[in-house]
Amino acid sequence: MKSLLWTLLAVALVANVFTSITLSGVTQMLVSVGTGVVVLASAAGLYVLRDKHSG
């Protein structure tokens, strides 16, 4: 599960950078919002699934 979330995070970040360079206007905004949601959701999932260390 963590590997899937890390993969989604990485792909969404790369897609966001790529679309920021290549697209413009409303299309770029919509794709950026979509990839941003994926980044936030995968980061939240990784936070929830993190290993808890007692210390």
Side-chain angles (χ1 to χ4, degrees), residues 7-55:
T7 303
L8 279 173
L9 182 69
V11 169
L13 284 173
V14 169
N16 200 353
V17 169
F18 181 72
T19 58
S20 294
I21 295 170
T22 59
L23 299 177
S24 64
V26 175
T27 306
Q28 189 272 334
M29 183 183 68
L30 292 174
V31 172
S32 182
V33 167
T35 57
V37 168
V38 172
V39 166
L40 291 175
S42 59
L46 286 168
Y47 180 79
V48 169
L49 294 174
R50 75 190 186 285
D51 293 331
K52 297 188 176 28
H53 295 277
S54 61

